[in-house]
Amino acid sequence: MTKILLCCGVLLFLVPVIRSLPANLPEEVEDIVPQRSQRAIGADECISHIYVAAFTSNRQYAGSDGNFDLEIKVKGVVYTAAFEDLAGDDHQPLKGDLWTFTMSSFYNIPPCVTKSSIGEIAIEEHTDDGWNIKSVITFFRSGSAYELATVDMDAYQWVDGDDHPSHRRFVLTKIF
């Protein structure tokens, strides 16, 4: 199955919902993935990077200046790393951004995190300035291998630290 992601009336890329890297990636993703991986990441290989491509919806108040974390649950323990405040207008309506997390970005994480040890990946907000995420994909890197980790297309999910309990965390849909 292939999903088409539209932003601002422009086709950004096609995402085949499979276990490998999408065939057509945004230009900024192409820069970090210069050659297609010829193999999947092994279940016991150490992951070196997690990439997050997220697209903000055009709903009212969808953009944000809030503070967001990427959370990964490894063998039952949650580790967090802050989303970098990218130059320009990250988290703004009808805009997509790409964040790169090295595994060392996560405080006190074990030296080797494998796909098989990851139970959950989520985005969390710590203030009341919410973000409405239209779509988000994540993928892992290990050496020269890349693999899709999560896919949430047309989610329109709020991530907001207000009083609504379902808005605090957005648990991403694993496909690995």
Side-chain angles (χ1 to χ4, degrees):
M1 174 169 53
T2 300
K3 293 271 190 164
I4 298 173
L5 180 61
L6 293 172
C7 181
C8 309
V10 177
L11 177 66
L12 293 178
F13 62 90
L14 300 174
V15 178
V17 183
I18 57 176
R19 292 183 175 273
S20 63
L21 197 62
N24 299 313
L25 297 169
E27 186 176 316
E28 62 269 22
V29 176
E30 287 283 354
D31 291 343
I32 61 171
V33 187
Q35 298 177 5
R36 296 287 185 256
S37 176
Q38 297 301 310
R39 64 178 181 80
I41 296 172
D44 294 320
E45 286 185 69
C46 299
I47 296 168
S48 61
H49 296 78
I50 298 177
Y51 299 96
V52 177
F55 302 87
T56 303
S57 81
N58 62 348
R59 292 188 174 166
Q60 187 174 16
Y61 309 116
S64 180
D65 289 320
N67 298 314
F68 301 91
D69 285 343
L70 184 65
E71 296 181 343
I72 57 174
K73 187 181 286 187
V74 179
K75 296 182 179 177
V77 178
V78 175
Y79 299 93
T80 63
F83 276 80
E84 179 183 0
D85 185 12
L86 300 174
D89 56 351
D90 53 318
H91 304 113
Q92 295 308 304
L94 298 176
K95 184 167 184 315
D97 288 294
L98 176 70
W99 289 269
T100 302
F101 294 88
T102 62
M103 294 312 285
S104 61
S105 303
F106 296 88
Y107 178 73
N108 213 22
I109 200 161
C112 180
V113 174
T114 63
K115 287 188 323 183
S116 60
S117 68
I118 296 176
E120 184 178 89
I121 301 174
I123 298 173
E124 184 174 30
E125 162 67 336
H126 296 287
T127 66
D128 62 358
D129 188 3
W131 178 24
N132 189 253
I133 301 171
K134 179 182 188 288
S135 299
V136 59
I137 64 169
T138 65
F139 55 101
F140 298 139
R141 177 179 173 193
S142 178
S144 63
Y146 295 81
E147 187 173 333
L148 270 174
T150 69
V151 175
D152 290 277
M153 305 301 282
D154 297 321
Y156 292 96
Q157 174 68 47
W158 281 103
V159 183
D160 197 345
D162 64 8
D163 293 330
H164 200 288
S166 69
H167 291 175
R168 173 145 322 263
R169 294 178 75 242
F170 179 10
V171 177
L172 305 178
T173 305
K174 286 177 30 175
I175 63 166
F176 61 95

